[in-house]
Amino acid sequence: AGQLPNTPATLVAWLRDPPALIPATGMPSLDVTDVDARDMAAYLYTLGANSAPPWPPPIPLDRPHYDDPDIPD
């Protein structure tokens, strides 16, 4: 993260061929066409950073064991 500028053109290039931009990446090239990469980038930009849920999700402090029936309250 943070190695490339966050621009539509960079995202399209990344979706088309990630190893061409960052050779040590673990993401393989998936033979995405230029048209598909532009469509995918356009969709991703509609999501916006403010609408993305946090990851990892917050841990509820009032319920340390969640709803696991094998773990007593």
Side-chain angles (χ1 to χ4, degrees):
Q3 295 183 30
L4 301 170
N6 187 3
T7 65
T10 303
L11 181 55
V12 168
W14 173 258
L15 292 168
R16 294 227 39 221
D17 189 9
L21 297 175
I22 300 177
T25 186
M27 186 168 170
S29 179
L30 300 174
D31 296 324
V32 174
T33 68
D34 190 48
V35 172
D36 287 345
R38 285 192 314 242
D39 290 345
M40 292 163 59
Y43 168 73
L44 291 170
Y45 270 100
T46 68
L47 299 177
N50 294 332
S51 64
W55 191 261
I59 298 171
L61 300 177
D62 61 337
R63 180 78 182 178
H65 300 296
Y66 300 96
D67 293 320
D68 188 336
D70 297 326
I71 300 175
D73 288 332

